[in-house]
Amino acid sequence: MHNAPSGISSLIKRNVWWTTLIILIIVGLFFFIVSSKKVTLLDAVIVERQNIREEVSTTGNVKPLSDLDLSFETGGQVSKVYVSVGDKVYEGQLLATLSNADLVAAVEQAKAGLKITQANLASIKKGTRPEELIISKGSLDDAKISLENKIVDSYTKADDAVRNDVDQMFDNPRTSLAKISLVLNNSQLESDINAGRYEIESILNDWNSNSSVLSASTAYLYLDKIKSFLDNVALGVNAITVSSNLTQTTIDKYKAALSSARTSIGLAYSNLNTAETAYNLAKSNYELKVSGNTAEVISAQEASVEQAQANVDAAQARLAKSKIASPISGVITNVNAKVGQTIQPSVTAISVISYGKYNIESYVPEADIAKVKIGNLASTTLDAYGSDTFFETSVVKIDPGETVIENVPTYKITLIFASSSDSRIKSGMTANLDILTNERNNVLAVPSRSVYTIDNEKYVKLVDFEDSSKSIETKVKTGIRGTNGYIEILSGLKEGDNIVASPNI
């Protein structure tokens, strides 16, 4: 009997590995049985009041508040470009202009016409003397002769522009077989040019035969048709390139001839307009002086002043279409317009972004967009300055339509900086946003991991007050989910309750 313990001891020593395994299994079974029957204090958390902040985190990019592509409202040849990329500009600053000498002249003529009508109105109100009638009649006769001369002069300029400047580019230019001698890539344009040259020949012949009796309105019509024809030829010539049959020198010569022709037509139009305006004003002035200064006459002259002012406004509007002015204060980011280049309307000539005023554009997934509201504040950092430097921003716009990014519907939101003059902020920077979408203070809250869902209902396991080894499944109503890992409890629990921290569902 005394040898039994030593025998067991000897057995254990010989089977240490198996003995250790058996002991571990027994201890494991013990703890499994205990933990399955009892909820200890370490498994529970207390329902208590906290401050909950709900945030949506996303990234975005800094964008200029305004990013504009500017273009001319009318086509033509660029005469001046006043800025370069990187230049700072102010609102209203002139950036570029087209060749517009005729438009400038038209504005000055319209202003002169306004002054004349204003002077006539003042004169009518004073009354008319006999000697003034004689002078007015003489002015009317002179104006009529001048207008007739300008109609004849318009023909001379038109004839020279077509038959001397442009016809060097045509074969059989004065016949029905007229054909431009250049090879154009646009067959429709080539057909229009050839047909146009035949039509212009008829116009010039009619004009030459009747120039002494031709009305100003007919002369305008003829000039418009010639101008349209020259525009088409210019489109064709500007598109041609150097080839074995066509040198750069010849191309430059054709372009110079076209420029001269178009200038002549523009000058003819301007001179004719000036003469016609002067004639109409002289005629109106004479008729007013003859008819006297009745209330009706004064009223009519006042209407003439208004019409003259409208002519000034219209001329200035046409002139404005040949210019580009910056609508904002900002920085030039691109200049496509080149001096001497023929540019079409609506083609981007200059681009400008606002200076010192930026916003942030970000895309929020549909799962979070319902939480975001206009006016929400956001704590923002910029990658350029690290995570310890914060910028205050707020949501100002939420796009109603989705933008699909990598097959995920997202919604673009726009935020503005609280400080619009922070020189650290630059276009293109990456922004990290924590948008405060909701906040609750002093509300009941529990860890989010303690709440689980069954059939769309939320539950927690409430520790039995009388027997902490038991738990009771309890339905709750939750509110916002905080960034600290807690979720608001609206109903189902009270302060001080113990619940299972991580229920095993």
Side-chain angles (χ1 to χ4, degrees):
M1 296 293 293
H2 292 285
N3 295 327
S6 61
I8 294 173
S9 174
S10 177
L11 178 64
I12 292 173
K13 288 180 179 179
R14 291 197 302 268
N15 299 279
V16 174
W17 189 88
W18 284 104
T19 302
T20 303
L21 179 60
I22 292 170
I23 292 171
L24 290 175
I25 291 173
I26 292 171
V27 172
L29 288 172
F30 172 79
F31 279 104
F32 175 77
I33 294 170
V34 171
S35 63
S36 65
K37 291 184 176 180
K38 186 175 181 178
V39 179
T40 67
L41 293 177
L42 293 176
D43 298 322
V45 293
I46 300 174
V47 180
E48 56 186 1
R49 293 189 176 276
Q50 293 194 20
N51 296 335
I52 303 292
R53 289 169 59 91
E54 180 185 67
E55 294 180 347
V56 170
S57 297
T58 183
T59 60
N61 291 101
V62 176
K63 303 286 186 180
L65 197 61
S66 297
D67 187 353
L68 305 176
D69 292 328
L70 307 178
S71 59
F72 291 101
E73 292 187 53
T74 184
Q77 188 178 59
V78 179
S79 64
K80 296 285 185 181
V81 177
Y82 301 98
V83 293
S84 301
V85 173
D87 287 352
K88 293 181 181 179
V89 296
Y90 56 83
E91 182 179 348
Q93 180 176 338
L94 185 62
L95 307 181
T97 61
L98 299 176
S99 298
N100 56 12
D102 55 333
L103 299 177
V104 172
V107 170
E108 295 305 315
Q109 181 59 43
K111 288 180 177 179
L114 175 61
K115 289 181 180 179
I116 292 173
T117 57
Q118 290 171 333
N120 287 341
L121 177 60
S123 176
I124 289 171
K125 288 180 176 179
K126 289 180 180 179
T128 305
R129 294 176 298 174
E131 56 269 29
E132 290 178 333
L133 285 176
I134 296 173
I135 294 173
S136 180
K137 182 62 169 64
S139 296
L140 175 59
D141 292 340
D142 291 341
K144 182 179 181 181
I145 293 171
S146 177
L147 177 58
E148 291 170 349
N149 289 338
K150 291 304 179 185
I151 293 174
V152 174
D153 181 65
S154 294
Y155 163 76
T156 302
K157 286 182 168 57
D159 179 79
D160 182 64
V162 175
R163 290 173 171 165
N164 290 332
D165 289 330
V166 177
D167 274 0
Q168 59 184 295
M169 308 172 204
F170 281 81
D171 296 326
N172 306 311
R174 300 191 184 188
T175 71
S176 59
L177 300 177
K179 187 178 186 303
I180 190 166
S181 58
L182 306 175
V183 178
L184 305 183
N185 293 328
N186 188 327
S187 59
Q188 182 59 54
L189 178 61
E190 183 177 352
S191 177
D192 291 343
I193 290 173
N194 294 337
R197 180 60 188 90
Y198 179 63
E199 180 185 13
I200 296 306
E201 187 63 26
S202 299
I203 287 174
L204 291 175
N205 290 336
D206 179 68
W207 202 342
N208 183 41
S209 301
N210 301 289
S211 59
S212 61
V213 295
L214 205 67
S215 67
S217 60
T218 302
Y220 283 134
L221 177 63
Y222 287 170
L223 287 174
D224 285 339
K225 286 183 178 296
I226 294 172
K227 180 180 182 300
S228 178
F229 166 71
L230 293 178
D231 288 344
N232 280 342
V233 176
L235 287 175
V237 171
N238 287 333
I240 61 177
T241 56
V242 175
S243 66
S244 58
N245 298 322
L246 192 63
T247 65
Q248 186 61 53
T249 300
T250 302
I251 293 175
D252 291 341
K253 182 183 71 171
Y254 288 166
K255 288 184 177 181
L258 267 171
S259 177
S260 173
R262 297 171 86 177
T263 299
S264 295
I265 296 302
L267 185 60
Y269 197 99
S270 177
N271 291 343
L272 185 60
N273 179 264
T274 299
E276 184 189 31
T277 300
Y279 171 74
N280 290 336
L281 290 173
K283 181 180 179 183
S284 175
N285 184 41
Y286 176 72
E287 291 174 347
L288 288 172
K289 289 184 180 299
V290 169
S291 61
N293 55 1
T294 63
E296 291 79 6
V297 171
I298 293 175
S299 179
Q301 184 59 24
E302 288 173 340
S304 295
V305 171
E306 292 177 0
Q307 182 180 18
Q309 180 62 62
N311 290 338
V312 171
D313 295 341
Q316 289 176 331
R318 289 191 294 271
L319 177 61
K321 291 180 179 180
S322 69
K323 302 177 180 180
I324 293 180
S326 179
I328 60 172
S329 295
V331 178
I332 301 299
T333 59
N334 192 26
V335 178
N336 290 326
K338 302 292 186 294
V339 173
Q341 170 191 11
T342 298
I343 195 167
Q344 300 301 317
S346 301
V347 172
T348 298
I350 295 175
S351 299
V352 59
I353 63 172
S354 55
Y355 179 74
K357 295 182 179 180
Y358 301 96
N359 56 28
I360 297 174
E361 291 182 0
S362 179
Y363 292 86
V364 178
E366 62 176 336
D368 292 324
I369 193 61
K371 302 174 186 176
V372 182
K373 302 290 187 294
I374 290 178
N376 286 161
L377 299 178
S379 177
T380 303
T381 62
L382 300 175
D383 281 356
Y385 302 107
S387 59
D388 296 329
T389 302
F390 294 91
F391 300 82
E392 184 179 342
T393 59
S394 59
V395 179
V396 294
K397 181 182 177 183
I398 302 173
D399 281 9
E402 81 282 2
T403 300
V404 178
I405 300 177
E406 295 182 355
N407 297 321
V408 176
T410 64
Y411 295 82
K412 187 174 82 170
I413 65 171
T414 303
L415 303 92
I416 60 170
F417 288 91
S419 174
S420 61
S421 58
D422 195 328
S423 61
R424 296 174 296 174
I425 304 170
K426 293 178 173 56
S427 178
M429 287 183 170
T430 300
N432 306 293
L433 310 166
D434 292 322
I435 305 169
L436 178 60
T437 56
N438 215 331
E439 189 172 21
R440 298 278 193 275
N441 294 323
N442 196 32
V443 296
L444 294 180
V446 299
S448 299
R449 69 180 185 277
S450 64
V451 180
Y452 57 95
T453 303
I454 300 177
D455 295 333
N456 294 322
E457 298 286 353
K458 300 292 178 63
Y459 294 89
V460 298
K461 286 191 174 182
L462 180 64
V463 177
D464 193 308
F465 179 74
E466 296 179 351
D467 184 358
S468 61
S469 67
K470 297 180 180 180
S471 62
I472 304 168
E473 190 168 71
T474 304
K475 184 189 295 186
V476 294
K477 184 176 181 182
T478 60
I480 66 173
R481 187 182 299 270
T483 57
N484 60 353
Y486 278 73
I487 189 169
E488 179 187 10
I489 298 298
L490 301 176
S491 63
L493 296 174
K494 64 181 183 297
E495 188 175 3
D497 282 345
N498 284 326
I499 63 170
V500 177
S502 299
N504 184 19
I505 307 305

